[in-house]
Amino acid sequence: MLTLLSAMYLVVRTASAQAEPIRVLVTGAAGQIAYSLLYSIAKGDVFGKDQPIILVLLDITPMLPVLDGVVMELQDCALPLLRDVIPTDKVEVAFKDLDAAILVGSMPRKEGMERKDLLKANVAIFKTQGEALEKYAKKTVKVLVVGNPANTNCLIASKSAPSIPKENFSCLTRLDHNRARSQVAMRVGVSSDSVKNVIIWGNHSSTQYPDVHHAKVTQNGKETAAFDAVNDESWLKGDFITTVQQRGAAVIKARKLSSAMSAAKAICDHMRDIWFGTPDGEWVSMGVFSSGNSYGVPDDLMYSFPVMIKNKTWKVVDGLSINDFSRGKMDATAAELVDERDTAVTFLGA
């Protein structure tokens, strides 16, 4: 006679055996973020414990030998949901029939490189990848851009894939969201899941605005406003903001490498929420298409807003009060994104 546990195991195994595999692309797949990310995707932490996966790994040609090692490690994990791993340096292979695309690879800023040169290099990359999405991927594909400058790279990719809905594109500000949540939790002395509804407004850069005016903290079973729980307005309007804004630089200074483990965790959080939705009464931060927003942010940007997600569709949380302090911060990060966009668009036809 089957035990309850073994019966449940059989149900899960049967479901995964019956479900069609989804194709998930990770670019920059030989890099350190991907190395922290791929195992979580392949074992079911992102798209579900009963969802078989075909992982497609794209990187530049010189990185293919490294990619072969990553493939061997994934094979050696013996993960039952991982049906195939496809390493490639060809976009026509990488982008074919995709259900999800996680675009991690980008041109990093090199010493002595002007900002406009960095934008120009990344416009070329994300124009090519957007065109490949347009030509080869499913029109329902969900695209997450991680490679920096993520907001503008995401906008360029979406402009280069006009038949894929703009709403299917988003960029990663969940790492900043998680950083803000954790900073508040540590300050108050609670676990991070006791803090909800922080917001990252704007650009994934040092102008981003981490906002806790609408955040809630649960202490001793009681939910209170974050400002009341922290009880230190000068910290919340000062060091808290700069700590979150500059956290990436602080990690690089300490590790001599950029954030990888935390970035991979944030990617998993972001994509899992797209797939399965956000909890009732909670929002998360995502860089999404700004046109038609109710917060006075200019149209035609990828700007981070608070969003709720249901049925794989995000909706900006409307009706939040914005004070003068927040307005100034939101406008400053929007101005940077407008400048980035206007510079980047000049390279689109180049």
Side-chain angles (χ1 to χ4, degrees):
M1 184 174 176
L2 287 174
T3 66
L4 180 60
L5 190 62
S6 61
M8 288 171 64
Y9 176 76
L10 276 175
V11 168
V12 170
R13 292 285 298 188
T14 304
S16 63
Q18 292 173 346
E20 281 292 311
I22 59 171
R23 292 177 73 93
V24 179
L25 167 67
V26 176
T27 72
Q32 60 158 353
I33 292 176
Y35 194 76
S36 293
L37 171 66
L38 293 170
Y39 174 72
S40 293
I41 294 174
K43 72 190 274 279
D45 288 350
V46 179
F47 298 102
K49 299 295 185 185
D50 60 353
Q51 177 58 66
I53 300 278
I54 296 170
L55 264 180
V56 188
L57 310 181
L58 176 68
D59 216 313
I60 57 176
T61 306
M63 298 306 293
L64 286 180
V66 178
L67 212 49
D68 286 340
V70 175
V71 172
M72 284 188 272
E73 285 214 68
L74 283 166
Q75 292 168 342
D76 295 348
C77 288
L79 297 164
L81 291 174
L82 186 59
R83 296 301 159 83
D84 199 5
V85 187
I86 303 168
T88 185
D89 59 353
K90 296 178 174 60
V91 294
E92 62 269 25
V93 175
F95 287 85
K96 184 172 176 57
D97 296 333
L98 291 180
D99 296 282
I102 303 171
L103 309 184
V104 179
S106 65
M107 169 72 78
R109 191 166 190 162
K110 296 174 182 174
E111 194 171 346
M113 182 182 271
E114 294 288 330
R115 187 165 151 273
K116 68 177 182 180
D117 295 329
L118 179 69
L119 278 169
K120 186 174 185 179
N122 279 295
V123 165
I125 293 168
F126 285 87
K127 179 185 177 185
T128 298
Q129 294 188 351
E131 290 170 346
L133 285 163
E134 175 76 6
K135 188 171 182 180
Y136 300 112
K138 294 178 181 177
K139 299 309 177 189
T140 53
V141 64
K142 300 296 185 182
V143 183
L144 168 58
V145 176
V146 179
N148 288 318
N151 298 59
T152 299
N153 288 343
C154 188
L155 185 68
I156 294 302
S158 71
K159 285 181 178 294
S160 304
S163 72
I164 296 174
K166 292 276 189 290
E167 294 74 23
N168 288 23
F169 288 83
S170 57
C171 73
L172 189 74
T173 57
R174 185 60 170 270
L175 177 52
D176 310 300
H177 181 100
N178 288 350
R179 287 165 171 165
R181 194 177 185 184
S182 177
Q183 287 295 315
V184 171
M186 288 190 295
R187 189 77 174 189
V188 177
V190 297
S191 61
S192 60
D193 63 352
S194 297
V195 179
K196 70 177 186 181
N197 294 352
V198 301
I199 302 169
I200 304 296
W201 300 99
N203 200 2
H204 175 62
S205 75
S206 59
T207 69
Q208 65 176 265
Y209 171 42
D211 177 12
V212 295
H213 284 93
H214 305 280
K216 303 289 185 185
V217 177
T218 300
Q219 288 178 289
N220 303 317
K222 183 183 176 187
E223 191 174 88
T224 56
F227 262 78
D228 295 334
V230 172
N231 196 27
D232 189 342
E233 185 171 351
S234 63
W235 180 77
L236 284 171
K237 289 188 171 182
D239 286 351
F240 163 72
I241 291 174
T242 55
T243 296
V244 176
Q245 288 174 332
Q246 298 169 14
R247 189 67 159 188
V251 170
I252 290 172
K253 186 176 179 181
R255 285 191 76 223
K256 310 298 184 259
L257 293 166
S258 59
S259 305
M261 177 172 36
S262 56
K265 164 65 164 53
I267 292 166
C268 291
D269 291 345
H270 180 117
M271 289 303 289
R272 186 173 54 250
D273 284 344
I274 287 178
W275 235 249
F276 296 107
T278 48
D280 288 344
E282 290 190 36
W283 60 70
V284 294
S285 302
M286 283 171 41
V288 296
F289 199 54
S290 65
S291 294
N293 76 87
S294 63
Y295 290 105
V297 174
D299 289 347
D300 199 32
L301 298 174
M302 287 291 176
Y303 186 100
S304 183
F305 291 98
V307 301
M308 292 180 173
I309 305 166
K310 190 174 183 180
N311 299 324
K312 296 185 181 175
T313 302
W314 57 263
K315 184 179 185 302
V316 172
V317 177
D318 288 324
L320 299 176
S321 59
I322 305 296
N323 62 23
D324 290 344
F325 178 84
S326 295
R327 182 81 265 159
K329 298 283 189 187
M330 291 165 66
D331 289 349
T333 192
E336 181 182 57
L337 280 170
V338 168
D339 183 49
E340 275 188 21
R341 176 199 66 196
D342 292 349
T343 303
V345 166
T346 63
F347 299 130
L348 260 182

